[in-house]
Amino acid sequence: MIVTTKKLFELAYGKYALGAYNINNAEQTMGLFRGCVDSQAPFIIQISKGARSYTDKLMLEAIIRAADQIFPQAVFAVHLDHGDEKTCMDCIASGFYSSVMIDASHEAYEKNIEITKRVVDAAHARGIVVEAELGQLGGVEEHVAVDEANAKLTDPNQAKDFVTRSGCDSLACAIGTSHGAFKFSGTQGLRFDVLVEIQKRLPGFPLVMHGSSSVPQEEVARINAAGGRLAGAKGVDANQFRRAAELGVTKINIDTDGRLVWTRVHREFFRDFPEKFDLRDPGKVFMAEYARFIAAKNEKLGSAGQLAAVRAALG
Ligand code: G3H
Ligand code: 13P
Ligand code: ZN
């Protein structure tokens, strides 16, 4: 069942966070639904601009509609990840997405508000909710490269004004994470001090954490042992998700970790079975491994086991 994030965030606020997982193909989608149903978790499917053009945006929509039929128990939102204004408007017009992210965080403050408000007005007219971003993550985002050294954390003093004037429904905050597999150097980590200040100014308002893959070291080691080269990869400690949830984070974005599962499965498969060439053989292993990975992640997020309560609240 496709829902907006509004009710999901209300139910989760202060208690747990929903996993927001990027998908690009049928195998990821099957593993995602299987993992969320197995762990009885509501969830958010994220589609990036790159994912929309990988096969075709209609292909992804069709895959998700099919998964909804295959797993009738599932409760999820369909969300555009890191949209520009044009892509947001396209998703709003499609009638398929229940949530969009407008990412104008690379623009000057006033311009960010202006663009976000235009998207909010169009989305709300269709019953669609909007995530916006204030501050900039380190690393490489879809349409903007930000030097880690210059990454700008969210300014808590701007948060209330931004939310009030843009009308957004949730706020992606930059609190020290970055996208990809190489997040922190040295003792860097999540800036809970900044999150505390944001929550003080926006009590009860849903916050979003991007760049939240954990980059498990055992996964990286297996990839490297099977021919990969991912030296120095490092991610967010998944044991910190619950603390973030207590501080108002209701959505935690995870993409890179799923890519690592895919890479490990396929590298190991072709190393161990060099004579094979049926794409379905590693595909089957991947779907099962991805489902296990998703279920384990939902346990860390606290969303596992919440499905019955969410279904009851949705009526
Ligand atoms: O934040 C970006 C997500 O990981 C999506 O990545 O733009 O390569 O699909 P992508
Ligand atoms: P990761 O690269 O840490 O998985 O972050 C994904 C993300 O923020 C998608 O918007
Ligand atoms: Zn992101």
Side-chain angles (χ1 to χ4, degrees):
M1 176 176 26
I2 300 176
V3 298
T4 74
T5 51
K6 200 169 171 46
K7 192 78 188 170
L8 297 182
F9 287 166
E10 269 169 37
L11 294 167
Y13 191 89
K15 298 194 278 284
Y16 61 91
L18 289 129
Y21 302 103
N22 292 69
I23 59 132
N24 295 272
N25 64 15
E27 287 83 354
Q28 268 184 318
T29 310
M30 286 300 284
L32 173 58
F33 276 77
R34 165 61 58 214
C36 287
V37 168
D38 284 354
S39 59
Q40 291 288 288
F43 61 104
I44 299 166
I45 289 189
Q46 307 205 117
I47 304 175
S48 72
K49 223 175 130 182
R52 279 162 59 87
S53 61
Y54 169 54
T55 48
D56 189 286
K57 60 186 181 182
L58 295 179
M59 182 68 79
L60 281 187
E61 289 185 20
I63 288 170
I64 294 168
R65 284 189 213 279
D68 193 21
Q69 284 185 292
I70 298 164
F71 299 93
Q73 246 200 310
V75 174
F76 59 100
V78 179
H79 175 78
L80 168 68
D81 191 27
H82 291 287
D84 52 27
E85 187 172 358
K86 186 165 173 279
T87 311
C88 283
M89 295 306 186
D90 189 54
C91 291
I92 292 165
S94 80
F96 181 64
Y97 292 71
S98 59
S99 172
V100 294
M101 175 191 190
I102 172 67
D103 182 357
S105 60
H106 51 287
E107 301 282 2
Y109 181 70
E110 288 298 329
K111 185 103 180 145
N112 188 355
I113 292 179
E114 195 187 301
I115 296 169
T116 301
K117 175 141 184 25
R118 278 202 296 272
V119 171
V120 166
D121 288 345
H124 285 182
R126 303 281 299 260
I128 295 164
V129 293
V130 178
E131 173 185 327
E133 182 167 329
L134 180 62
Q136 279 182 272
L137 271 72
V140 178
E141 295 190 9
E142 192 160 80
H143 55 285
V144 53
V146 187
D147 191 305
E148 196 177 11
N150 297 327
K152 286 189 276 159
L153 300 184
T154 302
D155 178 354
N157 292 320
Q158 291 181 327
K160 185 152 193 204
D161 181 65
F162 182 84
V163 164
T164 310
R165 289 173 56 206
S166 70
C168 67
D169 302 280
S170 61
L171 185 67
C173 303
I175 53 163
T177 65
S178 60
H179 293 108
F182 303 90
K183 297 189 192 299
F184 304 113
S185 52
T187 55
Q188 272 180 297
L190 289 183
R191 291 289 302 273
F192 282 122
D193 56 328
V194 177
L195 192 54
V196 165
E197 293 305 316
I198 296 169
Q199 196 200 24
K200 266 190 210 159
R201 287 153 178 87
L202 289 172
F205 192 80
L207 306 175
V208 178
M209 228 167 76
H210 282 247
S212 298
S213 278
S214 306
V215 192
Q217 289 308 297
E218 59 280 13
E219 198 77 303
V220 173
R222 283 175 73 175
I223 290 170
N224 289 343
R229 235 182 266 161
L230 295 178
K234 197 170 172 191
V236 174
D237 179 356
N239 294 316
Q240 296 192 319
F241 290 166
R242 297 302 275 268
R243 172 86 182 116
E246 284 164 15
L247 293 171
V249 172
T250 52
K251 173 174 179 277
I252 293 192
N253 286 14
I254 295 162
D255 184 12
T256 295
D257 281 350
R259 295 178 179 196
L260 294 178
V261 174
W262 187 94
T263 303
R264 184 253 301 166
V265 164
H266 288 82
R267 278 198 178 278
E268 288 185 346
F269 183 86
F270 288 113
R271 176 197 62 191
D272 297 342
F273 302 101
E275 73 287 2
K276 294 210 175 200
F277 54 88
D278 185 340
L279 62 92
R280 292 169 297 194
D281 291 335
K284 277 182 214 157
V285 180
F286 170 71
M287 285 187 277
E289 287 286 298
Y290 197 63
R292 265 196 290 279
F293 153 78
I294 293 285
K297 205 57 107 172
N298 290 338
E299 294 290 340
K300 293 283 184 191
L301 293 162
S303 61
Q306 300 291 339
L307 191 56
V310 165
R311 290 194 77 93
L314 290 170

